[in-house]
Every structure is written in C-alpha cells, then in structure tokens.
C-alpha cells in the first residue's frame, strides 16, 4: 500500500520539475495539490465505504432473523467504520505528502493517530450499545443491569485510550508507560472510587438477584416507591407511582435496607393486613332470644344452630346453673362476629382461599380490642387490590352494629373511625 501511495503523490513533483518550476515553488505547489488530492480521495473512500457498508448491513438485516444487525444500524456502527477507513489512508499518506516538512509531518501524524484511537473507541462503543439493546430484547437479560457492565468496559477502554493519546503526544516509551501506570494507579482508584463501588454493587445486585429492571421497590431513605426503570453503574432510577423519578446510588442497594415487592408480585396473592378497634365495653354474652335473631344472618345460621346444640349439651351434662348467664359455656357477640367475618372472607370472590385467611383478635389496647383481618387478594394490581380491601372493610364495618358491637372513635372527631393500616 505504501508503494502506490508514494507513486500517487510523487507524480505532481515530477511533473512540476519537468516543467522547469523552481524547487521552492515545486515543494509548496506539490504540497497544496497533493493535499487537495488527499481530501478528494479521502472523501471518495468515505462515500464509497459508507454506501457499501450501510447497503450490506441493510441487506443482511432484512434477510437475517437476528435483530443484532438492526441495532448495529441504529447505533451507526457502519457510519463510524466508514469514517475510520479514509483516516487509515490519510495516516499512510501524511508521511509521503509532508516528507519535506518534518515538524508538520510529526504534528499531523500524531493528530491522525489520536483521531483514529478516538474513532476506534466510538466504533467499540456503538457495537457495545447495539449488544446492550439486543440483550435487552431477550427475556433472560431484560431485567439485568447490562448498562452497568457496558459502562465499566467503556470506562476502562477510555482510560487506556486517554493514556495512549497522552503518551503519543509526548512520545513516551512503553517502559515509561507501564511504570507511570503503576505510579498513578492509586490516584486513579481515588478518582474512580464511586465508579468502582458502583461496579461492585452492580455485580452483587446481579449475582444475588436483589433488584431487576421492572421490580417494584420501596426505599424510604431516598423517598423511592415505584418501579425500577434503569440500573446503571452509579445510579438506579425508580419511577415513583406519582410519575416522579428518584435516583438512588447503586451502592446503597447493598449498604442500606430497602423493600423489594417482587416476591409479592410473583406469589398467588397480595396480603391484606388491617384491623379495626372494637370497644371492650360493647363485648358481652348473647341471650337466647338474641341468638334466634342472629340466625337470620345466613352466613352463620347453621353455625349458631350447631354451636348452640354443643353448648346446651355441655351445660346440661355438667348441671350448669344458667340463672346467671356467666355460668357454663356461652356465645359472645364478639366471637360470633369473628366467625361471621371469617365466613364472609371465605366466600368473598376477590380473596385467595388457598392462602392464609383468618380473622384474629390482637392484644387489647387502651383504645379497644384490635380485630385484625389477615388474608390475600387474588388481584395484585394496586388499584384493584385497594378496591377489594375497601369492599371487605366496608362490609365489616357496616356489619358491626348487627352484633351490637361498637367501633372505637376518637373523641376529637366523632365521624372518623380509627382504623390504622
């Protein structure tokens, strides 16, 4: 290649000398003409290479099943390669054209080398970006922090590229290069401390499967409550449910505590765990006539009959004196209310009957006795989940007066039911 370049750019000086042009004028005139020829040929090489490369990649993309070549086109890989080709020609031509201008030959030679290094890095970057886009289309990799790995590779390449550029500019030898790299390694570690920590965190997050793209996480420290939309080397982006975006340092995922709701979303139901407070003074034993009235409630009608037979049998066998209602075994309005709620939950179409379902009494408090509902909804979507939970508690609260029970209300606001979540 070098021989025909010498012949190509050596024609002009020979022609000028044959036409008796002065030596000084021959040097400068041939330089201008050769530079013009170089620009024209370089442009033609770029134009042809660009057309050929883009044409070939477009044809291949239309005929192949893989989408990787489509992403190469989208990330302009062919365009960058087309830019590189003429500069390789320029790199070989500069020493011939500037043979009589040592200073400028050295200057332009370095400039072309630096541009080739930078352009090569851009080509690698476009290929890596195409690989990233391709892998994100695969279900196996769609939730992986691929951006973090791509960023780490590019940081390493740019570091080496910058070092090589510096040593090219100042003509530093390889031995000095490696010695200097060892000396400045501590400085590099200090400068890129956050990036290194982010990379370590990204690897641990990926290997331990702590967070995936698309996961719903709650991170109280940073006010994040929403879906993970991006995992980068330094940050994790969370789109909150109010459509704001929270940026979390990647390293915080392994250094701080956060909640990942993926387990709930992958399970068969979403938990409902909420209680109401029942006034202790409203809890009492039920009389026979009251039991007869409560038998009209269909969900517990058969239960009352069976339970009443069992209690009467026990009291009769043990000669219990029922002149005082506290003696022997009895049903309470609170116990019957709990049974009613349990039966109601078991018949509710929005709840998962295969998962834990119960209505339990918690430790009494100064504000009353907590009656907690612990169950799981079939539908895990937030809006539908809230509708199911509201439907359940609407019914539970409305059913309370039928059992002559009272729900605790704050004295300062008689219309507000104290019903903490």
């Amino acid at each position: 290649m070098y021989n025909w370049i010498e012949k190509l750019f050596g024609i002009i000086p020979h022609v000028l000398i044959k036409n008796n042009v002065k030596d000084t004028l021959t040097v400068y005139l041939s330089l201008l003409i050769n530079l013009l020829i170089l620009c024209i040929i370089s442009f033609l090489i770029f134009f042809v290479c660009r057309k050929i490369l883009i044409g070939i990649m477009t044809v291949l993309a239309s005929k192949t099943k893989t989408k990787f070549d489509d992403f190469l086109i989208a990330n302009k890989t062919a365009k960058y390669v087309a830019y590189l080709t003429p500069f390789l020609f320029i790199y070989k031509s500069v020493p011939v054209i500037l043979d009589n201008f040592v200073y400028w030959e050295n200057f332009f030679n370095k400039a072309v080398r630096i541009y080739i290094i930078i352009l090569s890095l851009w080509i690698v970057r476009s290929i890596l970006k195409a690989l990233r886009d391709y892998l994100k289309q695969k279900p196996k990799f769609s939730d992986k922090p691929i951006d973090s790995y791509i960023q780490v590779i590019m940081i390493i390449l740019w570091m080496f590229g910058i070092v090589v550029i510096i040593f090219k500019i100042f003509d530093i030898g390889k031995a000095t290069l490696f010695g200097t790299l060892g000396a400045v390694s501590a400085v590099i570690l200090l400068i890129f401390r956050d990036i290194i920590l982010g990379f370590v965190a990204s690897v641990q997050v990926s290997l331990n499967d702590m967070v995936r793209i698309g996961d719903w996480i709650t991170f109280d420290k940073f006010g994040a409550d929403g879906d993970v939309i991006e995992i980068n080397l330094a940050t994790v982006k969370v789109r909150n449910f109010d459509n704001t975006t929270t940026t979390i340092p990647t390293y915080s995922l392994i250094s701080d505590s956060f909640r990942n709701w993926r387990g709930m979303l992958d399970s068969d139901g979403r938990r409902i765990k909420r209680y109401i407070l029942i006034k202790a003074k409203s809890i009492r034993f039920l009389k026979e006539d009251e039991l007869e009235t409560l038998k009209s409630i269909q969900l517990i009608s058969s239960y009352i009959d069976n339970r009443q037979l069992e209690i009467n049998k026990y009291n009769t066998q043990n000669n219990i004196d029922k002149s005082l209602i506290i003696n022997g075994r009895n049903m309470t309005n609170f116990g019957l209310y709990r049974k009613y709620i349990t039966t109601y939950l078991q018949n509710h179409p929005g709840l998962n009957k295969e998962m834990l379902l119960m209505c339990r009494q918690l430790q009494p408090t100064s504000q009353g006795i907590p009656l907690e509902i612990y169950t799981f909804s079939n539908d895990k979507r937030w809006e539908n989940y809230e509708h199911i939970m509201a439907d359940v508690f609407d019914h539970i609260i409305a059913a309370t007066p039928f059992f002559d029970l009272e729900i605790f209300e704050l004295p300062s606001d008689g219309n507000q039911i104290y019903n903490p979540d």
Side-chain angles (χ1 to χ4, degrees):
M1 180 178 179
Y2 192 76
N3 291 331
W4 74 264
I5 289 175
E6 282 187 331
K7 291 178 181 179
L8 174 65
F9 294 108
I11 294 173
I12 302 301
H14 287 300
V15 171
L16 294 174
I17 291 170
K18 284 182 180 180
N19 287 277
N20 299 319
V21 180
K22 293 181 180 180
D23 293 342
T24 305
L25 185 59
T26 298
V27 171
Y28 286 101
L29 193 58
S30 62
L31 174 63
L32 291 174
I33 296 172
N34 282 335
L35 286 175
L36 180 62
I37 294 171
L38 178 65
C39 292
I40 293 171
I41 294 175
S42 299
F43 176 78
L44 290 174
I45 291 173
F46 166 72
F47 182 79
V48 172
C49 288
R50 183 179 179 183
K51 289 292 183 182
I52 292 174
L53 288 172
I54 293 177
I56 291 173
M57 292 190 69
T58 304
V59 172
L60 288 175
S62 62
K63 291 186 176 181
T64 56
K65 294 182 179 179
T66 179
K67 291 185 177 180
F68 181 66
D69 40 21
D70 297 313
F71 290 120
L72 285 174
I73 295 173
N75 286 284
K76 302 179 181 179
T77 305
K79 180 181 176 181
Y80 295 134
V81 174
Y83 274 117
L84 181 63
T85 310
F87 272 90
L88 293 174
F89 172 71
I90 294 171
Y91 174 70
K92 291 292 184 180
S93 302
V94 165
V96 177
I97 297 174
L98 299 176
D99 186 39
N100 296 316
F101 302 88
V102 178
Y103 173 80
W104 290 107
E105 177 188 346
N106 186 44
F107 175 81
F108 281 104
N109 205 5
K110 287 180 180 180
V112 172
R113 286 183 181 182
I114 291 170
Y115 188 83
I116 289 173
I117 292 170
I118 294 173
L119 198 53
S120 299
L121 290 172
W122 274 99
I123 292 171
V124 174
R125 179 176 175 269
S126 67
I127 294 172
L128 291 175
K129 287 176 70 177
L131 180 63
R132 176 201 64 189
D133 297 338
Y134 174 72
L135 291 178
K136 283 188 175 182
Q137 299 295 315
K138 300 288 184 180
K140 185 178 179 180
F141 298 98
S142 60
D143 54 0
K144 302 300 181 195
I146 300 172
D147 290 301
S148 299
Y149 305 137
I150 299 295
Q151 288 175 353
V152 169
I153 295 171
M154 284 310 304
I155 287 171
I156 295 171
L157 291 175
W158 275 110
M159 285 174 58
F160 278 105
I162 291 170
V163 170
V164 171
I165 289 171
I166 292 172
F167 281 83
K168 288 291 182 184
I169 293 173
F170 297 103
D171 293 321
I172 301 174
K174 293 182 179 179
T176 310
L177 170 63
F178 291 112
T180 307
L181 284 177
V184 301
S185 58
V187 178
I188 292 173
L189 288 175
L190 181 63
I191 294 173
F192 295 101
R193 174 182 174 275
D194 292 337
I195 294 174
I196 293 170
L197 289 175
F199 173 65
V200 172
S202 296
V203 173
Q204 290 186 349
V205 165
S206 178
L207 292 178
N208 297 324
D209 200 20
M210 297 170 63
V211 177
R212 302 175 189 168
I213 294 174
D215 282 356
W216 169 19
I217 68 170
T218 303
F219 210 141
D220 295 332
K221 180 179 178 180
F222 295 95
D225 185 15
D227 298 327
V228 176
I229 57 174
E230 189 176 329
I231 302 176
N232 289 325
L233 186 62
T235 60
V236 174
K237 290 184 180 179
V238 178
R239 184 173 56 239
N240 300 311
F241 294 123
D242 59 358
N243 288 325
T244 60
T245 302
T246 300
T247 302
I248 302 170
T250 306
Y251 189 70
S252 297
L253 295 177
I254 61 174
S255 62
D256 295 313
S257 177
F258 69 97
R259 180 179 295 180
N260 191 330
W261 295 86
R262 188 201 314 155
M264 179 274 292
L265 294 172
D266 292 341
S267 69
D268 295 327
R270 183 172 178 179
R271 188 182 71 173
I272 297 174
K273 183 175 181 287
R274 182 175 289 186
Y275 65 84
I276 58 174
L277 290 168
I278 302 296
K279 287 185 178 180
K281 68 177 183 179
S282 66
I283 300 174
R284 58 181 179 80
F285 294 117
L286 291 171
K287 300 177 182 179
E288 290 289 337
D289 58 334
E290 291 175 319
L291 288 172
E292 291 299 323
T293 302
L294 289 172
K295 285 181 183 180
S296 301
I297 302 175
Q298 293 182 350
L299 287 179
I300 55 173
S301 178
S302 59
Y303 171 79
I304 294 174
D305 285 333
N306 295 331
R307 187 68 172 164
Q308 199 170 14
L309 288 173
E310 180 185 340
I311 290 173
N312 290 338
K313 182 179 179 181
Y314 173 85
N315 290 337
T316 301
Q317 289 176 350
N318 291 275
N319 298 317
I320 302 299
D321 181 12
K322 294 303 295 177
S323 60
L324 195 62
I325 195 170
I326 194 174
N327 292 332
R329 295 176 62 182
N330 300 278
M331 280 188 277
T332 63
N333 58 347
F334 194 36
L336 204 56
Y337 180 56
R338 285 190 289 108
K339 178 61 181 178
Y340 171 78
I341 293 174
T342 303
T343 307
Y344 170 75
L345 296 176
Q346 290 170 345
N347 287 275
H348 196 288
L351 304 178
N352 191 329
K353 315 307 183 302
E354 302 298 323
M355 302 183 74
L356 183 61
L357 185 153
M358 65 178 175
C359 171
R360 62 174 181 165
Q361 182 183 143
L362 302 181
Q363 177 73 26
T365 69
S366 59
Q367 296 173 329
I369 301 176
L371 183 67
E372 184 182 78
I373 308 302
Y374 195 103
T375 184
F376 292 82
S377 67
N378 280 324
D379 199 326
K380 294 169 285 186
R381 290 171 295 180
W382 188 14
E383 184 178 1
N384 295 342
Y385 164 79
E386 293 291 344
H387 284 320
I388 292 171
M389 183 164 58
D391 181 60
V392 167
F393 276 88
D394 284 350
H395 187 91
I396 289 172
I397 293 170
T400 307
F402 287 87
F403 295 85
D404 200 22
L405 292 168
E406 295 180 35
I407 297 176
F408 174 80
E409 296 177 348
L410 290 173
S412 59
D413 187 357
N415 296 320
Q416 182 179 357
I417 296 175
Y418 184 76
N419 185 11
D421 188 357

